[in-house]
Amino acid sequence: MRELELPRSLLPADGRFGSGPSRVRAEQVQALAAGATTILGTSHRQAPVKHVVGRVREGLGDLFSLPEGYEVVLGNGGSTAFWDIAALCLVQRRSEHLVCGEFSQKFANEVAAAPHLQEPEVIRAEPGQLPEPVPRDDVDAYAWAQNETSTGVMAPVRRPGDAGNDQLVLIDATSAAGGVMFDPTQADAYYFAPQKAFASDGGLWLAVLSPAAIQRAERIATEGSHWIPSILSLTTALENSRKDQTLNTPAVATLVLMAEQIEWMNRQGGLAWADARTRETSGLLYAWADRREEITAFVTDPAARSQVVVTLDVAEHIDATAMTALLRSHGVVDIEPYRKLGRNQLRIATFPAVPPQDVQALIATLDHVLDAIG
Ligand SMILES: *Cc1c(COP(=O)(O)O)cnc(C)c1O
């Protein structure tokens, strides 16, 4: 397969299909360059950078149509840091976790290791399957990933049990936020990072907090029952975010790229537009898998198939690693499966920055490879 030459005319105009870091649009980079001497390299405590943080927070409020009382909070450390923030500042005693892959497992591990919390309730599903929450009285938080990026399983964002039970819903929306529709009233912390659907660099975490989540964080901070390092304090992050700042120095370039992407999405038609676009682009790939005998959607339940991270199993007699290496040598990159999943698979991100034409071209390229090796 390695010697195969792929015709240039077939290849996508942009070959970046990674699930995070993900493709950054050229227009975002141009906007960054335009601010090269006025924003980059200037103080994050002064108006120009604070204005960019404000654009991100307001832009997200518009994109998600946030109800009164919901706030956008941000800080350094990526979604991985938010797991520890949630373990320290949002879970009171015990949480329930739905685990169906690497990312949902990691949050459950953090909570299990936290000395001030009880052993979490963990509901597990095989990779590629979707676990269901079970309402319980003895938990004060439910946690799951809206999109499990390691397997391409997508979950509904819906409160289990009775609302008003003082149980928080903590949604890891790292790879779903901005690409998939959701109802903000169904979550209390909807957290994510900029390097997936928001087409920016990594390093920040962002969270949409409900009034109940803010109250919980304030109560836990006031009780002072355990040590909360300031870099992991949600109430400190909240105070800073309200001033369009972060506790410590953020990557200014990431904020600029993100503000540009959010405003681009809002101009295109907001979250409804982004959701329709990712349905279309992922739909092209799932339809292709139906057509090709050698390709099977990894997620068997169509309702649980991700519209932003498409995982496709490749028939045993074809070496998917050789396929992804061949495409990589032609500039089509990051369609390898999640490392630890260890499957003969392709994983293709269809975030809003990826246009349908590029997905069509990718499919034509993959068809060419499969036909050639016959
Ligand atoms: C990428 C990802 C993370 C980790 O994000 P970082 O910003 O690298 O910490 C967590 N959860 C999910 C679902 C992800 O896709």
mmCIF file of all heavy atoms in Angstrom, residues 271-318:
data_model
loop_
_atom_site.group_PDB
_atom_site.id
_atom_site.type_symbol
_atom_site.label_atom_id
_atom_site.label_comp_id
_atom_site.label_asym_id
_atom_site.label_seq_id
_atom_site.Cartn_x
_atom_site.Cartn_y
_atom_site.Cartn_z
ATOM 1 N N LEU A 271 -25.405 27.890 17.033
ATOM 2 C CA LEU A 271 -25.273 26.470 17.347
ATOM 3 C C LEU A 271 -26.159 25.598 16.441
ATOM 4 O O LEU A 271 -25.776 24.482 16.091
ATOM 5 C CB LEU A 271 -25.609 26.235 18.828
ATOM 6 C CG LEU A 271 -25.156 24.896 19.404
ATOM 7 C CD1 LEU A 271 -23.661 24.677 19.230
ATOM 8 C CD2 LEU A 271 -25.540 24.790 20.878
ATOM 9 N N ALA A 272 -27.322 26.126 16.054
ATOM 10 C CA ALA A 272 -28.208 25.353 15.168
ATOM 11 C C ALA A 272 -27.496 25.093 13.837
ATOM 12 O O ALA A 272 -27.558 23.989 13.280
ATOM 13 C CB ALA A 272 -29.517 26.092 14.939
ATOM 14 N N TRP A 273 -26.792 26.110 13.343
ATOM 15 C CA TRP A 273 -26.044 25.946 12.102
ATOM 16 C C TRP A 273 -24.923 24.915 12.282
ATOM 17 O O TRP A 273 -24.747 24.014 11.458
ATOM 18 C CB TRP A 273 -25.442 27.293 11.658
ATOM 19 C CG TRP A 273 -24.449 27.126 10.558
ATOM 20 C CD1 TRP A 273 -24.727 27.019 9.221
ATOM 21 C CD2 TRP A 273 -23.025 26.987 10.702
ATOM 22 N NE1 TRP A 273 -23.559 26.822 8.516
ATOM 23 C CE2 TRP A 273 -22.498 26.795 9.392
ATOM 24 C CE3 TRP A 273 -22.151 27.000 11.784
ATOM 25 C CZ2 TRP A 273 -21.135 26.626 9.159
ATOM 26 C CZ3 TRP A 273 -20.790 26.824 11.554
ATOM 27 C CH2 TRP A 273 -20.299 26.648 10.260
ATOM 28 N N ALA A 274 -24.150 25.072 13.367
ATOM 29 C CA ALA A 274 -23.020 24.165 13.609
ATOM 30 C C ALA A 274 -23.502 22.728 13.749
ATOM 31 O O ALA A 274 -22.899 21.789 13.214
ATOM 32 C CB ALA A 274 -22.257 24.606 14.862
ATOM 33 N N ASP A 275 -24.612 22.561 14.466
ATOM 34 C CA ASP A 275 -25.180 21.231 14.681
ATOM 35 C C ASP A 275 -25.609 20.606 13.348
ATOM 36 O O ASP A 275 -25.323 19.441 13.070
ATOM 37 C CB ASP A 275 -26.376 21.370 15.639
ATOM 38 C CG ASP A 275 -27.063 20.057 15.928
ATOM 39 O OD1 ASP A 275 -26.542 19.308 16.764
ATOM 40 O OD2 ASP A 275 -28.109 19.777 15.311
ATOM 41 N N ALA A 276 -26.259 21.413 12.492
ATOM 42 C CA ALA A 276 -26.705 20.896 11.190
ATOM 43 C C ALA A 276 -25.496 20.529 10.330
ATOM 44 O O ALA A 276 -25.484 19.510 9.631
ATOM 45 C CB ALA A 276 -27.567 21.943 10.481
ATOM 46 N N ARG A 277 -24.457 21.359 10.402
ATOM 47 C CA ARG A 277 -23.263 21.105 9.587
ATOM 48 C C ARG A 277 -22.562 19.812 10.012
ATOM 49 O O ARG A 277 -22.170 19.013 9.171
ATOM 50 C CB ARG A 277 -22.301 22.284 9.722
ATOM 51 C CG ARG A 277 -20.943 22.036 9.085
ATOM 52 C CD ARG A 277 -20.524 23.226 8.332
ATOM 53 N NE ARG A 277 -19.106 23.441 8.257
ATOM 54 C CZ ARG A 277 -18.562 24.182 7.283
ATOM 55 N NH1 ARG A 277 -19.328 24.713 6.361
ATOM 56 N NH2 ARG A 277 -17.277 24.387 7.251
ATOM 57 N N THR A 278 -22.396 19.595 11.336
ATOM 58 C CA THR A 278 -21.692 18.389 11.767
ATOM 59 C C THR A 278 -22.545 17.140 11.546
ATOM 60 O O THR A 278 -22.023 16.055 11.323
ATOM 61 C CB THR A 278 -21.246 18.487 13.242
ATOM 62 O OG1 THR A 278 -22.390 18.629 14.085
ATOM 63 C CG2 THR A 278 -20.302 19.662 13.462
ATOM 64 N N ARG A 279 -23.872 17.301 11.587
ATOM 65 C CA ARG A 279 -24.744 16.166 11.229
ATOM 66 C C ARG A 279 -24.520 15.781 9.771
ATOM 67 O O ARG A 279 -24.452 14.611 9.421
ATOM 68 C CB ARG A 279 -26.223 16.546 11.383
ATOM 69 C CG ARG A 279 -26.767 16.300 12.750
ATOM 70 C CD ARG A 279 -28.220 16.804 12.817
ATOM 71 N NE ARG A 279 -28.554 17.060 14.195
ATOM 72 C CZ ARG A 279 -28.931 16.120 15.048
ATOM 73 N NH1 ARG A 279 -29.056 14.862 14.638
ATOM 74 N NH2 ARG A 279 -29.192 16.412 16.295
ATOM 75 N N GLU A 280 -24.416 16.816 8.924
ATOM 76 C CA GLU A 280 -24.240 16.562 7.496
ATOM 77 C C GLU A 280 -22.900 15.883 7.238
ATOM 78 O O GLU A 280 -22.830 14.852 6.562
ATOM 79 C CB GLU A 280 -24.324 17.888 6.715
ATOM 80 C CG GLU A 280 -24.098 17.692 5.230
ATOM 81 C CD GLU A 280 -23.960 19.000 4.441
ATOM 82 O OE1 GLU A 280 -24.182 20.085 5.024
ATOM 83 O OE2 GLU A 280 -23.618 18.917 3.248
ATOM 84 N N THR A 281 -21.806 16.464 7.780
ATOM 85 C CA THR A 281 -20.476 15.937 7.458
ATOM 86 C C THR A 281 -20.270 14.532 8.054
ATOM 87 O O THR A 281 -19.733 13.650 7.387
ATOM 88 C CB THR A 281 -19.376 16.898 7.958
ATOM 89 O OG1 THR A 281 -19.678 17.299 9.300
ATOM 90 C CG2 THR A 281 -19.291 18.131 7.077
ATOM 91 N N SER A 282 -20.738 14.326 9.300
ATOM 92 C CA SER A 282 -20.594 12.977 9.861
ATOM 93 C C SER A 282 -21.499 12.004 9.116
ATOM 94 O O SER A 282 -21.118 10.852 8.875
ATOM 95 C CB SER A 282 -20.933 12.977 11.356
ATOM 96 O OG SER A 282 -22.269 13.400 11.576
ATOM 97 N N GLY A 283 -22.672 12.496 8.709
ATOM 98 C CA GLY A 283 -23.609 11.650 7.957
ATOM 99 C C GLY A 283 -23.006 11.135 6.651
ATOM 100 O O GLY A 283 -23.259 9.996 6.242
ATOM 101 N N LEU A 284 -22.193 11.967 6.002
ATOM 102 C CA LEU A 284 -21.521 11.537 4.767
ATOM 103 C C LEU A 284 -20.638 10.318 5.054
ATOM 104 O O LEU A 284 -20.606 9.362 4.283
ATOM 105 C CB LEU A 284 -20.644 12.672 4.217
ATOM 106 C CG LEU A 284 -21.367 13.909 3.655
ATOM 107 C CD1 LEU A 284 -20.362 15.037 3.398
ATOM 108 C CD2 LEU A 284 -22.111 13.549 2.374
ATOM 109 N N LEU A 285 -19.942 10.357 6.185
ATOM 110 C CA LEU A 285 -19.022 9.256 6.533
ATOM 111 C C LEU A 285 -19.789 7.992 6.943
ATOM 112 O O LEU A 285 -19.417 6.885 6.557
ATOM 113 C CB LEU A 285 -18.070 9.704 7.644
ATOM 114 C CG LEU A 285 -16.992 10.677 7.160
ATOM 115 C CD1 LEU A 285 -16.403 11.463 8.320
ATOM 116 C CD2 LEU A 285 -15.883 9.929 6.413
ATOM 117 N N TYR A 286 -20.857 8.161 7.717
ATOM 118 C CA TYR A 286 -21.622 6.966 8.115
ATOM 119 C C TYR A 286 -22.303 6.328 6.888
ATOM 120 O O TYR A 286 -22.392 5.108 6.790
ATOM 121 C CB TYR A 286 -22.645 7.315 9.205
ATOM 122 C CG TYR A 286 -22.005 7.671 10.531
ATOM 123 C CD1 TYR A 286 -22.200 8.909 11.126
ATOM 124 C CD2 TYR A 286 -21.171 6.750 11.187
ATOM 125 C CE1 TYR A 286 -21.608 9.238 12.339
ATOM 126 C CE2 TYR A 286 -20.563 7.073 12.394
ATOM 127 C CZ TYR A 286 -20.782 8.324 12.971
ATOM 128 O OH TYR A 286 -20.181 8.642 14.169
ATOM 129 N N ALA A 287 -22.757 7.169 5.956
ATOM 130 C CA ALA A 287 -23.369 6.628 4.730
ATOM 131 C C ALA A 287 -22.316 5.888 3.906
ATOM 132 O O ALA A 287 -22.589 4.840 3.313
ATOM 133 C CB ALA A 287 -23.988 7.764 3.914
ATOM 134 N N TRP A 288 -21.101 6.425 3.907
ATOM 135 C CA TRP A 288 -20.001 5.773 3.190
ATOM 136 C C TRP A 288 -19.718 4.395 3.817
ATOM 137 O O TRP A 288 -19.523 3.406 3.109
ATOM 138 C CB TRP A 288 -18.752 6.668 3.250
ATOM 139 C CG TRP A 288 -17.531 6.071 2.650
ATOM 140 C CD1 TRP A 288 -17.325 5.782 1.324
ATOM 141 C CD2 TRP A 288 -16.331 5.691 3.346
ATOM 142 N NE1 TRP A 288 -16.072 5.250 1.155
ATOM 143 C CE2 TRP A 288 -15.440 5.184 2.383
ATOM 144 C CE3 TRP A 288 -15.930 5.732 4.677
ATOM 145 C CZ2 TRP A 288 -14.161 4.714 2.707
ATOM 146 C CZ3 TRP A 288 -14.662 5.276 5.016
ATOM 147 C CH2 TRP A 288 -13.799 4.767 4.034
ATOM 148 N N ALA A 289 -19.712 4.343 5.146
ATOM 149 C CA ALA A 289 -19.474 3.062 5.839
ATOM 150 C C ALA A 289 -20.560 2.048 5.474
ATOM 151 O O ALA A 289 -20.269 0.850 5.311
ATOM 152 C CB ALA A 289 -19.442 3.282 7.346
ATOM 153 N N ASP A 290 -21.791 2.531 5.310
ATOM 154 C CA ASP A 290 -22.879 1.624 4.897
ATOM 155 C C ASP A 290 -22.640 1.083 3.497
ATOM 156 O O ASP A 290 -22.986 -0.047 3.192
ATOM 157 C CB ASP A 290 -24.229 2.371 4.915
ATOM 158 C CG ASP A 290 -24.778 2.509 6.325
ATOM 159 O OD1 ASP A 290 -24.293 1.779 7.223
ATOM 160 O OD2 ASP A 290 -25.686 3.340 6.539
ATOM 161 N N ARG A 291 -22.065 1.931 2.637
ATOM 162 C CA ARG A 291 -21.830 1.553 1.238
ATOM 163 C C ARG A 291 -20.679 0.578 1.082
ATOM 164 O O ARG A 291 -20.691 -0.253 0.198
ATOM 165 C CB ARG A 291 -21.447 2.820 0.447
ATOM 166 C CG ARG A 291 -22.574 3.532 -0.206
ATOM 167 C CD ARG A 291 -22.144 4.474 -1.329
ATOM 168 N NE ARG A 291 -20.983 5.323 -1.138
ATOM 169 C CZ ARG A 291 -20.994 6.515 -0.548
ATOM 170 N NH1 ARG A 291 -22.116 6.984 -0.034
ATOM 171 N NH2 ARG A 291 -19.897 7.225 -0.463
ATOM 172 N N ARG A 292 -19.620 0.744 1.913
ATOM 173 C CA ARG A 292 -18.384 -0.022 1.695
ATOM 174 C C ARG A 292 -18.364 -1.240 2.585
ATOM 175 O O ARG A 292 -18.450 -1.128 3.804
ATOM 176 C CB ARG A 292 -17.137 0.809 2.026
ATOM 177 C CG ARG A 292 -16.913 1.911 1.081
ATOM 178 C CD ARG A 292 -15.806 1.874 0.145
ATOM 179 N NE ARG A 292 -15.167 0.743 -0.387
ATOM 180 C CZ ARG A 292 -14.543 0.771 -1.575
ATOM 181 N NH1 ARG A 292 -14.517 1.869 -2.295
ATOM 182 N NH2 ARG A 292 -13.936 -0.288 -2.020
ATOM 183 N N GLU A 293 -18.177 -2.359 1.973
ATOM 184 C CA GLU A 293 -18.126 -3.625 2.695
ATOM 185 C C GLU A 293 -16.971 -3.657 3.699
ATOM 186 O O GLU A 293 -17.084 -4.266 4.762
ATOM 187 C CB GLU A 293 -17.906 -4.708 1.645
ATOM 188 C CG GLU A 293 -18.418 -6.060 2.019
ATOM 189 C CD GLU A 293 -18.103 -7.042 0.910
ATOM 190 O OE1 GLU A 293 -18.134 -6.633 -0.290
ATOM 191 O OE2 GLU A 293 -17.787 -8.188 1.241
ATOM 192 N N GLU A 294 -15.849 -2.982 3.349
ATOM 193 C CA GLU A 294 -14.642 -3.062 4.198
ATOM 194 C C GLU A 294 -14.735 -2.152 5.433
ATOM 195 O O GLU A 294 -13.875 -2.206 6.304
ATOM 196 C CB GLU A 294 -13.387 -2.613 3.410
ATOM 197 C CG GLU A 294 -13.188 -3.269 2.056
ATOM 198 C CD GLU A 294 -13.825 -2.491 0.914
ATOM 199 O OE1 GLU A 294 -14.896 -1.866 1.132
ATOM 200 O OE2 GLU A 294 -13.266 -2.495 -0.190
ATOM 201 N N ILE A 295 -15.758 -1.287 5.478
ATOM 202 C CA ILE A 295 -15.833 -0.273 6.541
ATOM 203 C C ILE A 295 -17.134 -0.451 7.337
ATOM 204 O O ILE A 295 -18.207 -0.616 6.747
ATOM 205 C CB ILE A 295 -15.807 1.150 5.912
ATOM 206 C CG1 ILE A 295 -14.572 1.341 5.021
ATOM 207 C CG2 ILE A 295 -15.884 2.231 6.987
ATOM 208 C CD1 ILE A 295 -13.242 1.326 5.743
ATOM 209 N N THR A 296 -17.007 -0.394 8.678
ATOM 210 C CA THR A 296 -18.180 -0.539 9.556
ATOM 211 C C THR A 296 -18.118 0.538 10.640
ATOM 212 O O THR A 296 -17.067 0.728 11.251
ATOM 213 C CB THR A 296 -18.142 -1.908 10.285
ATOM 214 O OG1 THR A 296 -17.783 -2.907 9.341
ATOM 215 C CG2 THR A 296 -19.485 -2.245 10.901
ATOM 216 N N ALA A 297 -19.237 1.185 10.877
ATOM 217 C CA ALA A 297 -19.280 2.149 11.991
ATOM 218 C C ALA A 297 -19.006 1.385 13.289
ATOM 219 O O ALA A 297 -19.613 0.352 13.550
ATOM 220 C CB ALA A 297 -20.646 2.827 12.046
ATOM 221 N N PHE A 298 -18.068 1.900 14.104
ATOM 222 C CA PHE A 298 -17.701 1.230 15.354
ATOM 223 C C PHE A 298 -18.862 1.258 16.342
ATOM 224 O O PHE A 298 -19.121 0.297 17.066
ATOM 225 C CB PHE A 298 -16.455 1.918 15.936
ATOM 226 C CG PHE A 298 -16.047 1.439 17.300
ATOM 227 C CD1 PHE A 298 -15.920 0.081 17.577
ATOM 228 C CD2 PHE A 298 -15.767 2.348 18.312
ATOM 229 C CE1 PHE A 298 -15.525 -0.357 18.838
ATOM 230 C CE2 PHE A 298 -15.380 1.918 19.574
ATOM 231 C CZ PHE A 298 -15.262 0.562 19.841
ATOM 232 N N VAL A 299 -19.573 2.375 16.398
ATOM 233 C CA VAL A 299 -20.697 2.515 17.334
ATOM 234 C C VAL A 299 -21.925 1.894 16.664
ATOM 235 O O VAL A 299 -22.433 2.419 15.665
ATOM 236 C CB VAL A 299 -20.934 3.997 17.689
ATOM 237 C CG1 VAL A 299 -22.106 4.150 18.648
ATOM 238 C CG2 VAL A 299 -19.660 4.599 18.296
ATOM 239 N N THR A 300 -22.393 0.776 17.217
ATOM 240 C CA THR A 300 -23.444 0.014 16.535
ATOM 241 C C THR A 300 -24.806 0.713 16.614
ATOM 242 O O THR A 300 -25.566 0.675 15.657
ATOM 243 C CB THR A 300 -23.546 -1.407 17.113
ATOM 244 O OG1 THR A 300 -23.544 -1.311 18.539
ATOM 245 C CG2 THR A 300 -22.363 -2.258 16.668
ATOM 246 N N ASP A 301 -25.082 1.375 17.736
ATOM 247 C CA ASP A 301 -26.369 2.052 17.885
ATOM 248 C C ASP A 301 -26.321 3.399 17.151
ATOM 249 O O ASP A 301 -25.611 4.309 17.579
ATOM 250 C CB ASP A 301 -26.643 2.261 19.384
ATOM 251 C CG ASP A 301 -27.907 3.080 19.629
ATOM 252 O OD1 ASP A 301 -28.627 3.369 18.658
ATOM 253 O OD2 ASP A 301 -28.140 3.430 20.809
ATOM 254 N N PRO A 302 -27.097 3.538 16.055
ATOM 255 C CA PRO A 302 -27.036 4.794 15.295
ATOM 256 C C PRO A 302 -27.323 6.025 16.161
ATOM 257 O O PRO A 302 -26.741 7.080 15.935
ATOM 258 C CB PRO A 302 -28.105 4.612 14.221
ATOM 259 C CG PRO A 302 -28.272 3.138 14.096
ATOM 260 C CD PRO A 302 -28.029 2.570 15.464
ATOM 261 N N ALA A 303 -28.167 5.881 17.175
ATOM 262 C CA ALA A 303 -28.514 7.027 18.022
ATOM 263 C C ALA A 303 -27.331 7.478 18.880
ATOM 264 O O ALA A 303 -27.303 8.611 19.346
ATOM 265 C CB ALA A 303 -29.694 6.674 18.915
ATOM 266 N N ALA A 304 -26.351 6.600 19.103
ATOM 267 C CA ALA A 304 -25.205 6.946 19.955
ATOM 268 C C ALA A 304 -23.984 7.334 19.128
ATOM 269 O O ALA A 304 -22.911 7.582 19.679
ATOM 270 C CB ALA A 304 -24.872 5.764 20.870
ATOM 271 N N ARG A 305 -24.144 7.385 17.803
ATOM 272 C CA ARG A 305 -22.997 7.733 16.950
ATOM 273 C C ARG A 305 -22.722 9.226 16.999
ATOM 274 O O ARG A 305 -23.623 10.039 16.821
ATOM 275 C CB ARG A 305 -23.266 7.328 15.499
ATOM 276 C CG ARG A 305 -23.124 5.847 15.294
ATOM 277 C CD ARG A 305 -23.401 5.445 13.862
ATOM 278 N NE ARG A 305 -23.530 3.992 13.809
ATOM 279 C CZ ARG A 305 -24.152 3.311 12.863
ATOM 280 N NH1 ARG A 305 -24.708 3.958 11.844
ATOM 281 N NH2 ARG A 305 -24.212 2.008 12.925
ATOM 282 N N SER A 306 -21.456 9.561 17.192
ATOM 283 C CA SER A 306 -21.071 10.962 17.305
ATOM 284 C C SER A 306 -21.183 11.686 15.969
ATOM 285 O O SER A 306 -20.848 11.132 14.920
ATOM 286 C CB SER A 306 -19.630 11.049 17.802
ATOM 287 O OG SER A 306 -19.186 12.386 17.712
ATOM 288 N N GLN A 307 -21.634 12.922 16.032
ATOM 289 C CA GLN A 307 -21.658 13.749 14.823
ATOM 290 C C GLN A 307 -20.399 14.607 14.696
ATOM 291 O O GLN A 307 -20.269 15.361 13.742
ATOM 292 C CB GLN A 307 -22.927 14.602 14.787
ATOM 293 C CG GLN A 307 -23.065 15.605 15.908
ATOM 294 C CD GLN A 307 -24.479 16.175 16.014
ATOM 295 O OE1 GLN A 307 -25.394 15.519 16.510
ATOM 296 N NE2 GLN A 307 -24.646 17.416 15.575
ATOM 297 N N VAL A 308 -19.472 14.486 15.651
ATOM 298 C CA VAL A 308 -18.227 15.267 15.569
ATOM 299 C C VAL A 308 -16.953 14.425 15.553
ATOM 300 O O VAL A 308 -15.907 14.908 15.121
ATOM 301 C CB VAL A 308 -18.136 16.308 16.718
ATOM 302 C CG1 VAL A 308 -18.986 17.533 16.417
ATOM 303 C CG2 VAL A 308 -18.520 15.705 18.052
ATOM 304 N N VAL A 309 -17.036 13.184 16.027
ATOM 305 C CA VAL A 309 -15.868 12.290 15.987
ATOM 306 C C VAL A 309 -16.367 10.934 15.466
ATOM 307 O O VAL A 309 -17.054 10.201 16.178
ATOM 308 C CB VAL A 309 -15.228 12.125 17.386
ATOM 309 C CG1 VAL A 309 -14.123 11.073 17.347
ATOM 310 C CG2 VAL A 309 -14.653 13.462 17.876
ATOM 311 N N VAL A 310 -16.029 10.646 14.217
ATOM 312 C CA VAL A 310 -16.577 9.466 13.548
ATOM 313 C C VAL A 310 -15.557 8.334 13.609
ATOM 314 O O VAL A 310 -14.441 8.475 13.101
ATOM 315 C CB VAL A 310 -16.925 9.803 12.080
ATOM 316 C CG1 VAL A 310 -17.427 8.569 11.340
ATOM 317 C CG2 VAL A 310 -17.953 10.933 12.022
ATOM 318 N N THR A 311 -15.925 7.222 14.250
ATOM 319 C CA THR A 311 -15.009 6.083 14.374
ATOM 320 C C THR A 311 -15.487 4.971 13.449
ATOM 321 O O THR A 311 -16.629 4.502 13.547
ATOM 322 C CB THR A 311 -14.963 5.585 15.830
ATOM 323 O OG1 THR A 311 -16.303 5.486 16.326
ATOM 324 C CG2 THR A 311 -14.170 6.539 16.716
ATOM 325 N N LEU A 312 -14.606 4.548 12.548
ATOM 326 C CA LEU A 312 -14.967 3.560 11.535
ATOM 327 C C LEU A 312 -13.988 2.396 11.575
ATOM 328 O O LEU A 312 -12.779 2.584 11.384
ATOM 329 C CB LEU A 312 -14.943 4.208 10.140
ATOM 330 C CG LEU A 312 -15.849 5.435 9.946
ATOM 331 C CD1 LEU A 312 -15.612 6.059 8.572
ATOM 332 C CD2 LEU A 312 -17.330 5.059 10.125
ATOM 333 N N ASP A 313 -14.489 1.197 11.849
ATOM 334 C CA ASP A 313 -13.639 0.005 11.841
ATOM 335 C C ASP A 313 -13.324 -0.396 10.407
ATOM 336 O O ASP A 313 -14.170 -0.291 9.518
ATOM 337 C CB ASP A 313 -14.352 -1.146 12.559
ATOM 338 C CG ASP A 313 -14.161 -1.073 14.069
ATOM 339 O OD1 ASP A 313 -13.347 -0.244 14.529
ATOM 340 O OD2 ASP A 313 -14.835 -1.847 14.791
ATOM 341 N N VAL A 314 -12.103 -0.871 10.228
ATOM 342 C CA VAL A 314 -11.652 -1.317 8.913
ATOM 343 C C VAL A 314 -11.539 -2.849 8.970
ATOM 344 O O VAL A 314 -11.085 -3.394 9.992
ATOM 345 C CB VAL A 314 -10.274 -0.679 8.582
ATOM 346 C CG1 VAL A 314 -9.752 -1.167 7.238
ATOM 347 C CG2 VAL A 314 -10.383 0.842 8.598
ATOM 348 N N ALA A 315 -11.969 -3.525 7.895
ATOM 349 C CA ALA A 315 -11.947 -4.999 7.869
ATOM 350 C C ALA A 315 -10.547 -5.508 8.192
ATOM 351 O O ALA A 315 -9.544 -4.891 7.817
ATOM 352 C CB ALA A 315 -12.403 -5.499 6.503
ATOM 353 N N GLU A 316 -10.502 -6.640 8.897
ATOM 354 C CA GLU A 316 -9.248 -7.218 9.393
ATOM 355 C C GLU A 316 -8.173 -7.381 8.316
ATOM 356 O O GLU A 316 -6.992 -7.203 8.585
ATOM 357 C CB GLU A 316 -9.515 -8.584 10.055
ATOM 358 C CG GLU A 316 -10.158 -8.488 11.430
ATOM 359 C CD GLU A 316 -9.356 -7.627 12.408
ATOM 360 O OE1 GLU A 316 -8.109 -7.702 12.373
ATOM 361 O OE2 GLU A 316 -9.976 -6.879 13.189
ATOM 362 N N HIS A 317 -8.582 -7.738 7.098
ATOM 363 C CA HIS A 317 -7.575 -8.030 6.065
ATOM 364 C C HIS A 317 -6.937 -6.763 5.489
ATOM 365 O O HIS A 317 -6.034 -6.841 4.668
ATOM 366 C CB HIS A 317 -8.185 -8.899 4.950
ATOM 367 C CG HIS A 317 -9.247 -8.194 4.149
ATOM 368 N ND1 HIS A 317 -10.552 -8.062 4.576
ATOM 369 C CD2 HIS A 317 -9.189 -7.560 2.953
ATOM 370 C CE1 HIS A 317 -11.253 -7.390 3.676
ATOM 371 N NE2 HIS A 317 -10.441 -7.069 2.680
ATOM 372 N N ILE A 318 -7.400 -5.594 5.940
ATOM 373 C CA ILE A 318 -6.792 -4.328 5.485
ATOM 374 C C ILE A 318 -6.107 -3.669 6.680
ATOM 375 O O ILE A 318 -6.708 -3.546 7.751
ATOM 376 C CB ILE A 318 -7.861 -3.381 4.900
ATOM 377 C CG1 ILE A 318 -8.542 -4.059 3.704
ATOM 378 C CG2 ILE A 318 -7.240 -2.045 4.474
ATOM 379 C CD1 ILE A 318 -9.789 -3.339 3.247
#
